[in-house]
Amino acid sequence: MFGIKYQHIPNTLHYEHENTQVELLSTCDIAHSFAKYFQSNSSNSNFDNDFAIYRKAKGESFNINSYIHSNNNEYNLPLTIRELHSELRNCTSKSPGFVDISYTFIKSLSEFALIKILTIYNLIWAHGILPIKWRHAIVIPILKADKNKFEINSYRPISLTCTLCKLLEKMVNKRLVWYLETSHKFIKQQYGFRRYHSTQDFLATLHTHISKSIKKNNTPSLTPLTWKKLMIWSGKIETIQVKVNNIFSEHTAIENGLPHGSIISVTLFLVAINAIFSDIQKPMKIIKTLSHLTWGAEKDSLLLIYKALILSRIDYGFIIYNSAKPNIKQILNPIHNQAIRLAIDASKNINGAGSVFISGAFKRLFKLPTETSIFTAEIVAIKEAIIYAESIPINKALIISDSLSALTSLLSINPSNEISQQILNITSELNNIIEFMWVPILILALLGMKNDLLANQAISSLESTEIKSLLYKDLLRIGNKIAL
């Protein structure tokens, strides 16, 4: 098996230093500049002041030695020879690390020698102190995909560390993963680098979710988050040397982070992002978490999340708080743009059919012919509500109905009834936004809405506007009854 063939780094590179573009011509300067660049990525200066204060307080309050000696959980027990053999069998890399001790050499050691190594491991495990050599790494710059090979920031670091250290790291990581999985510390939506939770499992789950949403005429949304730079707070590596074309940089101090390519870094990354939404109790906090001046979700994604989590609740609950004083309702204005809300309903009895739409204290009643169906009465109320919304100076109108069939008819590009077609024509030419919401009649009744009573009154009320026309389907139904 062939090892990784690292790409040759050009003899000339560019490096931005203090807002000045510097041209590097010698291999020694290139190696040194790489070291400084990687050092800057791990610098404490990347932390904002609040986190720096938090980190300092945490560091001062946490004593690793007292924690180890007072914690007798199973995952803190001494490492065993069985664990050593298990992880050593999985070590297939031929790289000897920077101390020239390969896994092949370690595998050929006698049982007595392996027990001695295990004793050293358990001393490190018990006291939390690593040998100085193990805190050093040789870094190889690797060009990122589709990046300019003449720019230093186009490269990512791959660290070569001591194989004895990596073997211990594998054993610790195996325990850590076992504890996290058996204790159900990971949320079920956490995919990637987990057994039975691969990225392909996520794609399959996402595909299923999208398919179900499409069948229900819903719009699924996905918010991608990308980390340009993420440092796991750790003190494992203290110094690095960058190797460029067999030339090494000077020893360079690293303030934070695990080496790229570290076994345990993947697990710690999963831990770091696992609770990203765990402290978010309110939808508005989700928006705040996903938005930032320099990072976060795109505007369109934030708008979709806002409509789904915040605007839907405000619009749905207006029938409860609509009776509040104006100065109280004014509190909602900073949360979302002002919009008029119109609730509609229809009723039918032997004397005829009636429909109504209500917006706050304003209401309008309509009387329709006896032959009119409930569906027609509902769709008429929707049309009249839209016409009313068009006549007043607003940016948005929300129309609420308990008739799912009437609202569903508006989803068709070519509705089968005339009024639905007229509604689509009207809304296509409007400057303001018209949105629709279906609310079950039971919910309206529980919330004390009087729409059904007003719709029934509209049949005989003198305030009602009389509409004498009938839909083609209503006429057809009358004709079929006469023919029978």
Side-chain angles (χ1 to χ4, degrees):
M1 178 181 289
F2 295 95
I4 299 175
K5 292 185 176 179
Y6 302 115
Q7 292 181 328
H8 180 79
I9 294 176
N11 294 325
T12 301
L13 284 181
H14 297 98
Y15 177 48
E16 185 174 330
H17 178 65
E18 296 181 352
N19 298 323
T20 302
Q21 198 75 9
V22 179
E23 187 176 52
L24 306 170
L25 301 176
S26 71
T27 305
C28 183
D29 288 342
I30 290 173
H32 178 71
S33 295
F34 266 122
K36 289 298 181 183
Y37 172 68
F38 296 143
Q39 181 189 48
S40 67
N41 286 344
S42 70
S43 172
N44 288 333
S45 62
N46 293 312
F47 302 140
D48 60 34
N49 187 55
D50 290 340
F51 179 77
I53 294 172
Y54 168 82
R55 180 190 180 192
K56 182 180 179 181
K58 279 289 184 180
E60 291 174 350
S61 63
F62 181 73
N63 187 313
I64 189 170
N65 291 320
S66 62
Y67 174 80
I68 291 174
H69 295 305
S70 63
N71 194 321
N72 294 318
N73 289 323
E74 188 174 355
Y75 54 80
N76 270 335
L77 295 176
L79 302 167
T80 66
I81 193 66
R82 181 180 178 181
E83 290 175 290
L84 177 59
H85 281 300
S86 175
E87 295 309 313
L88 190 55
R89 282 194 299 269
N90 296 326
C91 294
T92 58
S93 173
K94 293 184 178 181
S95 173
F98 70 89
V99 293
D100 292 332
I101 300 177
S102 66
Y103 289 123
T104 303
F105 174 81
I106 300 173
K107 287 180 180 180
S108 65
L109 293 175
S110 65
E111 189 71 8
F112 176 80
L114 291 177
I115 291 174
K116 291 297 182 182
I117 291 176
L118 181 64
T119 302
I120 296 173
Y121 282 173
N122 277 318
L123 286 172
I124 295 171
W125 185 241
H127 299 284
I129 299 175
L130 287 173
I132 295 176
K133 280 275 188 180
W134 292 12
R135 292 177 176 267
H136 182 72
I138 301 298
V139 174
I140 307 296
I142 302 295
L143 183 65
K144 300 174 185 176
D146 303 320
K147 294 293 184 178
N148 184 356
K149 66 179 180 180
F150 297 102
E151 299 288 342
I152 276 190
N153 57 10
S154 297
Y155 292 79
R156 61 186 177 90
I158 292 296
S159 301
L160 301 179
T161 56
C162 175
T163 49
L164 285 171
C165 178
K166 292 173 70 174
L167 178 57
L168 173 59
E169 193 177 357
K170 286 175 180 287
M171 296 168 66
V172 173
N173 185 64
K174 188 70 170 285
R175 277 198 182 187
L176 179 58
V177 170
W178 168 83
Y179 168 72
L180 293 171
E181 294 289 1
T182 56
S183 302
H184 306 290
K185 298 297 184 181
F186 289 128
I187 59 174
K188 63 180 181 180
Q189 295 87 359
Q190 178 69 271
Y191 291 91
F193 304 105
R194 294 180 62 197
R195 194 176 185 183
Y196 308 125
H197 285 76
S198 69
T199 50
Q200 289 189 351
D201 292 323
F202 165 73
L203 292 175
T205 302
L206 179 62
H207 179 269
T208 302
H209 175 70
I210 293 173
S211 299
K212 288 181 178 179
S213 298
I214 292 174
K215 287 181 180 179
K216 295 179 180 179
N217 291 323
N218 294 331
T219 302
S221 61
L222 177 67
T223 304
L225 298 176
T226 303
W227 278 270
K228 182 179 179 181
K229 187 190 299 179
L230 178 67
M231 290 179 290
I232 305 297
W233 178 11
S234 171
K236 180 187 171 185
I237 293 297
E238 292 182 348
T239 58
I240 63 169
Q241 283 180 284
V242 177
K243 180 181 178 182
V244 177
N245 303 335
N246 293 322
I247 300 296
F248 291 87
S249 71
E250 297 178 355
H251 283 64
T252 305
I254 298 297
E255 292 180 318
N256 302 283
L258 289 168
H260 288 69
S262 167
I263 291 90
I264 205 169
S265 62
V266 172
T267 305
L268 294 182
F269 173 76
L270 293 179
V271 172
I273 67 171
N274 185 66
I276 189 169
F277 291 120
S278 63
D279 295 328
I280 301 175
Q281 303 298 329
K282 298 181 180 179
M284 186 60 78
K285 289 187 177 180
I286 296 179
I287 302 295
K288 291 179 179 179
T289 301
L290 296 179
S291 61
H292 196 269
L293 293 175
T294 56
W295 61 270
E298 294 182 353
K299 180 180 68 175
D300 292 343
S301 299
L302 291 173
L303 185 60
L304 284 173
I305 296 170
Y306 165 75
K307 287 182 176 180
L309 298 180
I310 299 173
L311 188 60
S312 61
R313 297 186 181 188
I314 295 174
D315 288 339
Y316 188 83
F318 91 99
I319 40 188
I320 297 175
Y321 60 71
N322 194 47
S323 60
K325 294 180 179 180
N327 63 321
I328 299 299
K329 291 188 286 186
Q330 189 72 19
I331 298 173
L332 293 175
N333 285 345
I335 301 178
H336 74 108
N337 293 328
Q338 185 177 4
I340 185 172
R341 303 169 186 84
L342 301 107
I344 72 167
D345 207 344
S347 183
K348 179 178 173 63
N349 58 34
I350 58 174
N351 298 318
S355 59
V356 61
F357 72 80
I358 306 171
S359 177
F362 180 85
K363 65 179 184 293
R364 185 164 289 177
L365 310 177
F366 302 92
K367 181 180 178 180
L368 298 99
T370 306
E371 298 80 8
T372 303
S373 66
I374 285 290
F375 171 84
T376 301
E378 290 275 359
I379 204 72
V380 165
I382 291 176
K383 175 188 172 183
E384 295 297 332
I386 292 173
I387 294 173
Y388 170 73
E390 185 183 12
S391 67
I392 58 179
I394 59 165
N395 295 324
K396 182 192 293 184
L398 176 70
I399 296 177
I400 301 173
S401 172
D402 64 355
S403 175
L404 187 59
S405 59
L407 295 177
T408 303
S409 70
L410 301 177
L411 295 175
S412 174
I413 299 176
N414 187 24
S416 59
N417 67 84
E418 304 93 319
I419 297 182
S420 294
Q421 293 174 2
Q422 293 170 15
I423 289 173
L424 293 182
N425 291 334
I426 293 171
T427 54
S428 66
E429 297 175 358
L430 291 179
N431 293 323
N432 48 8
I433 300 171
I434 304 294
E435 295 183 344
F436 302 92
M437 177 183 289
W438 173 70
V439 178
I441 188 171
L442 177 62
I443 302 298
L444 293 175
L446 290 173
L447 293 174
M449 293 296 291
K450 306 293 184 180
N451 296 32
D452 56 338
L453 296 177
L454 289 172
N456 193 52
Q457 292 174 11
I459 299 172
S460 56
S461 175
L462 296 176
E463 298 178 11
S464 300
T465 301
E466 189 172 1
I467 298 176
K468 296 182 178 181
S469 59
L470 287 170
L471 288 183
Y472 171 76
K473 284 192 173 182
D474 291 334
L475 292 171
L476 185 62
R477 189 179 65 256
I478 295 170
N480 290 336
K481 286 183 178 180
I482 294 173
L484 293 173

